[in-house]
Amino acid sequence: DLPRPSISAEPGTVIPLGSHVTFVCRGPIGVQRFRLERESWSTYNETEVVSQASPSESEARFRIDSVTEGNAGPYRCVYYKPPKWSEQSDYLELLVKGPRSPDLLWTPQ
């Protein structure tokens, strides 16, 4: 059976609003494409840009340039290595930190 993929996030899983995050999906050598899924299997990004992370591992990177509240939530990876798809990775929960409340940023004169 195919090994399950792993998922991680750089720089981390707690991202300030408007900052960037990159999801890194990893699997074995020979993966043709990686898919980054949201809560359900029907919502996903897919890439065939697969690079070799190490002699035994391949990876794909999914970057979000400016996160919004809508990007928060669970993500997971799955990959296609002919002739079949792998199982899904564990879920990784992305947390988006909003701006501080305005009264902490300025005091009315």
Side-chain angles (χ1 to χ4, degrees):
D1 255 15
L2 296 175
R4 290 178 73 200
S6 67
I7 182 171
S8 58
E10 296 170 3
T13 54
V14 182
I15 304 294
L17 204 59
S19 297
H20 68 86
V21 65
T22 301
F23 292 99
V24 182
C25 296
R26 288 214 165 128
I29 291 297
V31 171
Q32 256 187 14
R33 68 175 84 108
F34 280 96
R35 184 178 277 190
L36 179 70
E37 296 181 344
R38 295 293 306 259
E39 297 86 6
S40 73
W41 58 268
S42 59
T43 314
Y44 62 83
N45 290 350
E46 200 171 276
T47 183
E48 293 187 9
V49 182
V50 177
S51 59
Q52 196 163 330
S54 75
S56 60
E57 256 190 338
S58 56
E59 72 169 34
R61 305 174 83 82
F62 298 87
R63 182 179 162 104
I64 301 174
D65 283 326
S66 180
V67 301
T68 65
E69 282 101 342
N71 295 126
Y75 290 81
R76 64 186 179 184
C77 289
V78 62
Y79 63 82
Y80 181 70
K81 183 177 178 179
K84 61 180 185 173
W85 287 91
S86 71
E87 287 181 62
Q88 283 107 341
S89 69
D90 290 330
Y91 274 115
L92 181 76
E93 188 82 24
L94 184 71
L95 299 171
V96 177
K97 285 193 305 201
R100 291 206 179 86
S101 46
D103 57 351
L104 296 177
L105 295 179
W106 58 279
T107 46
Q109 299 305 313

